[in-house]
Each structure stands twice: as C-alpha cells, then as structure tokens.
Amino acid sequence: MAVASAAPGSDFCKQLLFSLLVLILFCDACQKISLQVPSHLPAEALVGKVNLKECLQSASLIQSSDPDFRIQEDGSIYTTHDLMLSSEKKSFSILLSDTQREEQKKIAIVLEAGGQKGPERHLEDTVLKRSKRRWAPIPCSLMENSLGPFPQHVQQVQSDAAQNYTIFYSISGPGVDKEPFNLFFINKDTGDIFCTRSIDREQYEQFPLYAYATTADGYAPEYPLPLLFKVEDDNDNAPYFENKVTIFSVPENCRTGTSVGKVTAIDHDEPDTLHTRLKYKILQQIPDHPKHFSIHPDTGVITTTTPLLDREKCDTYKLIMEVRDMGGQPFGLFNTGTITISLEDENDNSPYFTETSYFTEVEENRIDVEILRMAVRDQDLPNTPHSKAIYKILQGNENGNFKISTDPNTNEGVLCVVKPLNYELNRQIVLQIGVLNEAQFSKAANAQTPTMCTTTVTVKIKDLDEGPECQPSVKVIQSKDGLPAGKELLGYKAVDPEKGSSEGLRYKKIGDEDNWFEINEHTGNLKTVKVLDRESKFVKNNQYNVSVIAMDADGRSCTGTLVVFLEDDNDHPPDIREKEVTICRHDKDFAVLEPVDLDGPDNGPPFQFFLDNAASKLWTIETKDGKTAILRERQNLDYDTYTVPIQVKDRHGFAARHILAVRVCDCTTPSDCKMTPKGVRDIKPSNVILGRWAILAMVLGSALLLCILFTCFCVTAKKTVKKCFPEDVAQQNLIVSNTEGPGEEVMEANMRLPTQTCNICDTSVSVGTLGGQGVKTQQSFEMVKGGYTLDSSKGGGHQTLESVKGLGQGGMDTGRYGYTEWHSFTQPRLGEESIRGHTLIKN
C-alpha cells in the first residue's frame, strides 16, 4: 500500500481527537508498556491491546488500578468516560490473578500524550520524532473462486515511520487470527499481504482486517490501519425452486386468467446483479392438450388460459417448470421443478335416477316399513355435498303416508310408509319423486342451468282383514254440570272397516278415574252412576276422560278416549275459607277477605259483600276489585274477638252467609297476637235448628237427671222419718213451739189438729197444726212412733187420744184437745219407744 502524504502539524492533534481507531500493542509479558494516545480520549475508546497470556497464562481475574480504564479478557484497554490527559504521561497497572494457583502479576501501562519525544533508536544517538503523517489503504477486492497461483499477492502497506525506525508489520482479523484462519498473511518487513487459497463469496462477502506498524521494542508510531477486502461475486450458484414439488388447486370451470399460484426460486449469488436476475418458463404440461396454463416470466405467477377446465375429464395437471439466471440468457445457470395443479370439484352435474319408473307394494295398516330403494348417479366428486342426494316426494303424498330419506352409505333413496294406508280408500298410489344435491348448483360461466331429475313410483296396497278402527282417537261430548245419576250420554263409536259400520263390536270401559259411568257393551253409550261434578278433583279444564276399548268377534281391538266436557252450573256459592281473621292495630286497621267460588268464571266474581244490620253498626265492608273485600271497624273497638256475619253473592246473586271470628288485637303481625279472648261477643244470635237425634239426647238426659234426683230425695226422706220426734231423755217430754209468743200462752191455748194421712215409710202419721187466738201456724210437722197414731177414726186395738180422754163420738169436736190431754197421751209412749230404740241399737 502506498504511504499517505504528511498532514500539516496543526491538523495532527485534531485527527487524533476524532479518530476512533485503536492501538494494539504486543509486548513482553509483565513489562512496562508505553502507548501513544491523543490528549483527549472519548468514552469507550480503545486505547490499546496487551497480550495478557504471555504475562499470566490462566488469569481468572483481570482488574485495572485506575477506574478511568477497563480491561477486557483479550487485553483490550477501553476508557470508561471522556478523559482529558492533563499531563504528558498517565500511568496505571493491569492486575492479573489466578485464584486456583494463588498467583498474581502486574503489568505497568504508561500513556503518552501526542507530541512527546520518542526514545533513541540508533547507535548514533540520533534523536527521532514521531511522524505527523497518516498511512491510508488503497481499496482492494478479491475475486471469488480465484484459480491462483497461491499465495496470491493482495496488497502492500507501508508506514512513513520506517524512515526513522525499524518497522515491523502485522495484521489481525477474520482470515488471520479468526475464522477462516490463515487465509491471509503479511510480510513483516515489506508489508506485502498475500491470500493463500480461493474464497467463496456466499460464505464470506468481505474481510475487515487491521494492519499494525511497531518497532522492535513494541513502540507503535502509527495507529492501527483498517483494511477491507471485498470478495467479487462469481456466477457459481444456479437458482432452484424452494419446493421441489409444489401443489396448487383451482376450481374447475373457472374463468380465463384465474390465478393458480406463484412459484419462487432462490439464487445464492449476489443480489441485484445479473447473476440473480431470474426468468421462469413452463417446459411441459401433462396432459399436454389443450394448454390450460401460463406463467409470468418475472413474477412466477401461474394463471389459466381457458375456461374449459373440467374435473370430470381430468382432475390433475402437472407442469415441468424451469428457472434460469442471467436474465434467462442461454448461458445462464438453471434448474427445473414440478408443479401439480388439482382441480377443485364444483356442483356442475345433476344427479339422475338409474330407472325412469319403479313399482312396489305394501300391506294396508303397515307403518314404519321400508318399501323401496332407488339409486342415483352423479359425476361430481363422491361423498361430498356436490354428489350427496336429497330426495323429495313431489306428488301423491298429500296425506303424509310416505317419507323418503337418503342412505348415507349408499346415497340411495329409501321410501318408507309412516302412516297406515287403507285399502278400502285407495288400492293404488302413484308418487312422483325428485332428486337434487345437498350443495347448490354451480354458477360458473359455462355451467348449464340445473334441472331436477324425477321418476314415478307406483305403490300397490294389499287388502287385510283388519280389526275395528277408533277414528278419531279422541271424541268430545258435552254434558251439564250436576247431571244426576241414571242419565244416558252418547258414547264412543268405533267402525269395522270391512263392514263400514260398528255392527258386531263390543265396548268395554278401561279408564274412569272416579267411576262416574257405566258403559253399554253393545252401543258404547254411557250412563251416569254418580252426579257429575265439574268441581271434582278428577276434572281438568272442565274435562273428564273415559277410555274405551272396542273389540270385534276375533278379539281385535282399538282404543279411544271419550272426553266429557262439563258445562259449568252455578251450584257453588262464594266461600270464605278463613273463618278467623286478625286486625293488628299497629299494622293496619282492616282485614282482607278473599272468597273462593268453585264455579267457573262465568258464575264467579265480581262478588258482593253485605253485613247484617247489627254488624253494620260496628263494622264497614267495601269491595276492592270484585274479588276481595276490606273489613274495617267503624270505630275503635276493645281488644277482643267479635263474631261478624257476612253475606257474599256471586255475579248471578247466588249467596252464602258466613260467620267470621274477627280478633282486634294490640299487635304488629297476627302471629304476635297473644290475646286470650274473654268470650266471643255476638252481634246477633244465630238461629240454631236441632235435629231429631239431638232432641232425643236431651230428653234422655233429662229423664236420667230426674231419676238421680228422685233417688236422692228418697234417701233424704228416710233419714228424716227416723228423727220425727227427737228423744228428750233428760226431760222425758216433747215441746214443740212454732209461735212468737211466750210458752205459757201456748200451754193454755187449744190446739186444732186437722188430721192428714201420710203413707211414708209404711206408717200412718197424723199431722196437725197449732191454732188458736193470736197464734199463727208457721210449719207442719209429723208425729210417728211405732204403730200409735192420733187418728180417732181408727179403732180396734189402737189406743187413741179419745179413748184416754173418755169422750164419745159425738160428745165434742174430735179435732180439739187440751194440752194436758195431749201431754198425758204422748209422754208414756215416748218413754216406751225410747227404751225400745236403745234395745234395737244394742242388738
């Protein structure tokens, strides 16, 4: 390389300040290293390079003694920030440590700012100064695949410092000390650079190298010189298709110019050169007639040239393609490839039946039976919507007796009977059946207008001796609500299809939940055995169902349902289910009444509510919405329970009277009411009518009570008889005084003794009343002692008061006696009875 001309001295420092070139110095290990650097070093600038391995082979720790610099593992020295060298020299050390061997070494580094005097280099002690000239490379290129001879001279580098120093040249970079190794070398004395072998540009496009000029003692008078060797391309790579076999697809019947796909090829030569300018060409089409495809030579886009692509004729085409570089010139390199084009199926063919007409037969009353299979053909791709058939019955199936479906495995049409056929109605049916595809017909330019293929199927019906028919299966009859027992209703009628009538059929009831009816075995008519009630739990939506079975003489049968529709009758008055309501004063001052009417809507609400005259003085009632009523106190009542009679009428005036127990309570909710009622306050006594059994019970109870009272009376009377004359042992006399006056008056008075006979305790007792002037008789008494009486009308063995007195029957009034006479008669006998009573007690 030629040496560059010297630059002026004033420009030297500027060039050093802006240069990012690095200085790499190889020196003896562990010696002092001197480096020439600019006075200003930018951050991350490469200062120089030291061979660390010659100082310490296995350094595991590399450190700088000056934080202004950092050391990399390859010995490169970089600044950590912008650095201005204030003095002419700056020193620091590189510290190397081997932790395994516990060995440490140090390399001294001295940085000298530009313009410093250099050391003496020759024996004649000539003082040399560093040159102010820069060495610069001449552009250089290498030819790819060069044939030599090798080593081949590439370039020469020289330094102006060689005029004053003994200079040795060296190089580094890819191709020298990096991959590929030993491709380049330099003559250290002359600076000539040589290449040792040929180069492949596709592997190495260029080689960035650095050239160094140093003295024998390691002094670097020049900065490292960057060298760039560029490899010139040679057309040594033929283009090739990315995929050796490429598959494209295009719909059949597509228009001319439809894009099929794009092929691409790769050339590894230098881009944007004639070596990589490619051209495409179709060498052959298989099959080759007619020509359907073309390719754009520059883009590689394949298009159709005709609209006549028909998959049914040919479903796959192959194209042999060529790609050539050098713009397609004959001397260009080329390669071939195969392109496969598949045609996508379109529904451009209608299915058609293999036969124009079909015939089949089936027995009447058969259902869910297959009677015919019909095959079709379709040229479109099998097992796709373009070929799968859909069958339709166009005519003859107005009653829905038939159904046709597609067998997914064979694509056949399967005709089935789904509704019984009747030989008596139709002996033969002719069906018209059409077929289409699942997919719609293609709208391609050359596709024909689709037409539905049709065929006829004649179905002959075989006659069978069949059982009775229950048609319709459900029959509805109407009846009035409340129809009494014994009434006859029209029943279910079945038909014998062979006879066309119900003659000879017998009927039996098989379903009657509440047993309302009995059935006539021969006519099928129903007869009520209960009163029909629309409000029964067995009635749903005013309907009551009766299931009937009809049988012929051979035991064949059919089943039908007779629905009895009950017309509503207003036979239920409104009813208030809650007979007890509570009015909580702290919640609301009224009660809501909600009557229920079991009749239908036509005989139900709106309701009317009425109170009796007596109840209306304490209560008011008002209709809310025709279905409920509000019961309020006319004025605040005491907390108690009240009986309130209410009359409720439906819309037709059918009414019922209800007695409500209304609690007026000091509560918030009815459940909080803990009131113990003192007794229900009646507003108006109700009319109670007793039945005959109640009356009989009352009579028997009264008779039993009388018997008990009579028995008690007899016992009490028996005890009283024994104490008619109490025994006075001390006085031996009986004094009876019922007067308010002194005893002397009584003694002197006469006694009137009306005689009465009392047959109690089988003893005749004479009872008298005391009478006289100024004496009132206050009570009667009995005198009973043994068999002695005061009755003068009895004689013959009975000593009476008259006999003691010595009076005759007519001498005086037998009803009047003196007290002395009375005393003389009773005293001795009282003594005898006393003695006799004591004797009886002892015994």
Side-chain angles (χ1 to χ4, degrees):
M1 172 183 278
V3 177
S5 61
S10 60
D11 295 337
F12 182 73
C13 293
K14 293 182 181 179
Q15 293 175 356
L16 291 176
L17 293 174
F18 295 99
S19 176
L20 297 178
L21 299 177
V22 299
L23 176 63
I24 304 177
L25 178 64
F26 296 96
C27 65
D28 294 336
C30 303
Q31 293 183 357
K32 183 178 179 180
I33 305 298
S34 296
L35 298 176
Q36 293 285 334
V37 296
S39 59
H40 176 257
L41 296 174
E44 298 298 328
L46 178 61
V47 179
K49 186 175 181 181
V50 179
N51 192 341
L52 302 178
K53 293 185 178 180
E54 292 185 1
C55 181
L56 184 62
Q57 184 68 26
S58 58
S60 60
L61 181 61
I62 305 173
Q63 292 179 325
S64 172
S65 63
D66 191 338
D68 294 337
F69 303 93
R70 61 182 178 87
I71 314 300
Q72 291 188 344
E73 293 181 356
D74 61 350
S76 299
I77 305 172
Y78 288 88
T79 59
T80 58
H81 56 85
D82 286 347
L83 186 62
M84 181 68 71
L85 299 181
S86 59
S87 61
E88 294 182 353
K89 293 184 179 182
K90 183 177 179 64
S91 301
F92 65 95
S93 299
I94 299 176
L95 305 177
L96 305 176
S97 300
D98 187 347
T99 57
Q100 292 182 355
R101 299 182 179 179
E102 297 182 355
E103 183 179 359
Q104 294 184 352
K105 287 190 178 183
K106 180 170 65 174
I107 302 176
I109 305 296
V110 178
L111 301 181
E112 296 180 1
Q116 181 67 27
K117 293 182 179 180
E120 295 180 355
R121 298 299 174 184
H122 294 282
L123 297 177
E124 56 270 19
D125 296 329
T126 303
V127 178
L128 299 177
K129 294 184 179 179
R130 187 179 178 190
S131 175
K132 301 293 184 178
R133 306 161 67 93
R134 292 188 62 194
W135 55 329
I138 298 175
C140 178
S141 62
L142 302 172
M143 180 58 66
E144 179 187 13
N145 301 322
S146 173
L147 299 178
F150 298 101
Q152 184 179 12
H153 184 267
V154 178
Q155 195 177 43
Q156 182 183 18
V157 293
Q158 287 184 345
S159 173
D160 291 342
Q163 299 175 7
N164 302 319
Y165 300 96
T166 300
I167 299 298
F168 296 99
Y169 299 97
S170 62
I171 57 176
S172 67
V176 180
D177 55 356
K178 295 182 180 179
E179 289 286 346
F181 295 103
N182 302 320
L183 181 61
F184 301 99
F185 70 92
I186 188 170
N187 188 315
K188 68 176 182 176
D189 297 323
T190 63
D192 290 313
I193 301 175
F194 295 91
C195 179
T196 61
R197 58 184 180 272
S198 62
I199 304 171
D200 186 2
R201 191 207 66 86
E202 286 71 41
Q203 189 175 5
Y204 302 102
E205 294 183 2
Q206 60 186 9
F207 296 92
L209 303 178
Y210 280 96
Y212 307 95
T214 59
T215 61
D217 58 357
Y219 175 70
E222 301 284 356
Y223 293 112
L225 177 66
L227 301 175
L228 182 63
F229 295 161
K230 185 177 179 182
V231 181
E232 296 291 339
D233 183 46
D234 181 29
N235 188 20
D236 59 343
N237 290 279
Y240 62 92
F241 291 101
E242 284 188 283
N243 300 312
K244 199 65 178 176
V245 177
T246 304
I247 299 176
F248 295 121
S249 61
V250 64
E252 65 172 331
N253 304 316
C254 62
R255 299 177 183 273
T256 301
T258 301
S259 176
V260 177
K262 180 180 179 180
V263 295
T264 56
I266 297 175
D267 194 327
H268 291 296
D269 289 325
E270 187 174 359
D272 300 324
T273 64
L274 193 61
H275 297 166
T276 55
R277 187 179 300 172
L278 307 180
K279 293 291 184 178
Y280 299 93
K281 183 171 62 174
I282 298 176
L283 299 179
Q284 183 182 5
Q285 172 186 302
I286 303 173
D288 60 349
H289 186 77
K291 301 296 182 181
H292 293 294
F293 306 98
S294 66
I295 188 170
H296 193 283
D298 296 325
T299 63
V301 176
I302 302 174
T303 56
T304 59
T305 60
T306 174
L308 302 178
L309 291 172
D310 189 353
R311 190 204 65 82
E312 286 73 37
K313 294 181 179 179
C314 180
D315 61 352
T316 303
Y317 291 88
K318 288 186 178 181
L319 302 179
I320 307 299
M321 308 292 298
E322 178 191 89
V323 57
R324 186 182 293 266
D325 61 13
M326 302 300 290
Q329 297 182 23
F331 53 82
L333 302 180
F334 68 92
N335 238 320
T336 60
T338 302
I339 306 297
T340 301
I341 300 176
S342 298
L343 298 186
E344 298 176 353
D345 184 46
E346 293 288 321
N347 189 20
D348 56 345
N349 293 278
S350 299
Y352 58 92
F353 290 99
T354 57
E355 299 182 20
T356 57
S357 62
Y358 297 87
F359 177 83
T360 186
E361 58 185 6
V362 62
E363 296 177 349
E364 65 174 333
N365 300 321
R366 294 285 302 277
I367 61 172
D368 296 330
V369 58
E370 177 184 320
I371 61 174
L372 181 64
R373 281 181 172 260
M374 295 168 286
V376 295
R377 292 178 181 173
D378 195 323
Q379 295 179 358
D380 290 321
L381 191 64
N383 300 320
T384 64
H386 299 157
S387 62
K388 289 184 178 180
I390 296 179
Y391 300 88
K392 294 183 179 180
I393 301 177
L394 304 178
Q395 294 180 2
N397 193 33
E398 288 75 12
N399 295 328
N401 298 98
F402 301 93
K403 182 185 74 172
I404 192 169
S405 59
T406 304
D407 189 327
N409 298 321
T410 63
N411 206 32
E412 294 176 321
V414 181
L415 184 63
C416 299
V417 178
V418 295
K419 188 177 179 180
L421 296 168
N422 195 333
Y423 174 82
E424 287 71 27
L425 297 179
N426 290 306
R427 299 188 178 184
Q428 180 176 291
I429 297 177
V430 178
L431 303 176
Q432 185 181 17
I433 298 177
V435 61
L436 287 173
N437 291 128
E438 288 185 2
Q440 293 184 353
F441 202 78
S442 174
K443 296 181 180 180
N446 60 325
Q448 299 179 357
T449 304
T451 58
M452 177 183 289
C453 180
T454 61
T455 187
T456 58
V457 177
T458 302
V459 182
K460 181 180 179 181
I461 303 172
K462 295 181 179 180
D463 185 27
L464 290 178
D465 186 10
E466 50 197 339
E469 295 181 352
C470 295
Q471 296 294 337
S473 59
V474 178
K475 182 179 180 181
V476 181
I477 62 173
Q478 291 186 344
S479 175
K480 290 184 178 181
D481 183 18
L483 186 68
K487 297 296 183 178
E488 186 171 350
L489 298 177
L490 184 63
Y492 192 90
K493 299 293 184 182
V495 177
D496 188 343
E498 304 298 331
K499 300 178 181 178
S501 65
S502 58
E503 181 181 356
L505 299 181
R506 303 177 66 182
Y507 299 91
K508 183 180 179 181
K509 183 181 67 172
I510 59 174
D512 183 3
E513 288 185 284
D514 201 23
N515 197 26
W516 280 9
F517 303 97
E518 61 181 18
I519 190 169
N520 189 308
E521 183 180 7
H522 302 287
T523 63
N525 291 338
L526 300 180
K527 186 176 182 181
T528 59
V529 296
K530 291 183 179 180
V531 177
L532 305 188
D533 184 9
R534 191 193 69 87
E535 288 73 26
S536 171
K537 65 179 181 180
F538 301 101
V539 177
K540 308 296 182 184
N541 299 324
N542 301 334
Q543 297 178 353
Y544 183 83
N545 297 334
V546 180
S547 298
V548 177
I549 184 172
M551 297 178 293
D552 59 11
D554 296 330
R556 291 170 296 192
S557 63
C558 67
T559 303
T561 301
L562 190 64
V563 178
V564 182
F565 186 85
L566 297 174
E567 299 175 356
D568 186 32
D569 187 23
N570 194 14
D571 56 346
H572 292 83
D575 182 29
I576 299 178
R577 300 287 176 85
E578 297 183 2
K579 300 302 182 182
E580 180 178 326
V581 295
T582 301
I583 297 177
C584 289
R585 285 279 178 80
H586 298 291
D587 180 25
K588 52 187 178 182
D589 60 347
F590 61 89
V592 180
L593 307 181
E594 298 180 354
V596 177
D597 196 330
L598 297 178
D599 294 321
D602 295 337
N603 297 314
F607 300 125
Q608 294 179 342
F609 301 85
F610 302 94
L611 292 173
D612 291 355
N613 293 333
S616 61
K617 295 178 181 180
L618 301 179
W619 306 89
T620 63
I621 192 168
E622 60 184 62
T623 303
K624 184 177 181 181
D625 53 3
K627 296 182 180 180
T628 59
I630 304 298
L631 180 66
R632 300 180 186 271
E633 304 170 78
R634 191 173 290 276
Q635 57 188 2
N636 287 340
L637 303 176
D638 296 337
Y639 294 136
D640 207 339
T641 303
Y642 298 85
T643 301
V644 182
I646 298 177
Q647 187 180 36
V648 186
K649 294 183 179 180
D650 60 15
R651 65 168 58 198
H652 297 297
F654 192 22
R657 188 170 182 269
H658 305 281
I659 305 298
L660 296 185
V662 183
R663 294 194 304 172
V664 180
C665 190
D666 182 14
C667 61
T668 302
T669 59
S671 59
D672 295 338
C673 184
K674 305 300 183 182
M675 179 186 65
T676 302
K678 300 176 182 179
V680 180
R681 298 190 179 185
D682 293 336
I683 302 302
K684 182 177 180 180
S686 58
N687 298 325
V688 180
I689 302 175
L690 299 178
R692 54 188 180 181
W693 293 107
I695 296 174
L696 179 60
M698 292 175 63
V699 171
L700 293 177
S702 299
L704 181 60
L705 181 60
L706 289 176
C707 291
I708 294 173
L709 293 177
F710 182 78
T711 303
C712 294
F713 177 78
C714 291
V715 173
T716 305
K718 200 167 188 179
K719 292 180 180 179
T720 305
V721 169
K722 293 181 180 180
K723 297 181 180 180
C724 286
F725 295 98
E727 300 176 6
D728 190 355
V729 178
Q731 300 296 331
Q732 294 294 318
N733 58 12
L734 176 62
I735 300 176
V736 180
S737 177
N738 289 326
T739 63
E740 296 178 359
E744 293 298 331
E745 294 179 1
V746 175
M747 298 299 179
E748 297 297 333
N750 296 326
M751 298 178 66
R752 181 179 179 84
L753 300 172
T755 303
Q756 296 180 357
T757 303
C758 182
N759 296 324
I760 298 177
C761 300
D762 298 331
T763 305
S764 179
V765 180
S766 297
V767 181
T769 60
L770 300 178
Q773 294 181 355
V775 179
K776 294 182 178 180
T777 303
Q778 293 184 352
Q779 77 178 57
S780 61
F781 60 89
E782 299 174 343
M783 293 179 295
V784 179
K785 270 301 183 180
Y788 301 99
T789 67
L790 297 179
D791 191 358
S792 59
S793 61
K794 294 182 181 180
H798 293 278
Q799 186 177 1
T800 64
L801 187 60
E802 288 82 358
S803 62
V804 173
K805 190 177 178 181
L807 297 176
Q809 291 289 336
M812 56 181 301
D813 187 3
T814 61
R816 299 183 65 86
Y817 304 97
Y819 182 76
T820 304
E821 297 172 348
W822 174 266
H823 188 272
S824 300
F825 176 76
T826 59
Q827 195 63 30
R829 291 164 177 77
L830 288 175
E832 296 176 0
E833 294 298 327
S834 177
I835 296 171
R836 186 180 302 170
H838 285 290
T839 304
L840 293 174
I841 291 174
K842 292 179 180 181
N843 295 331

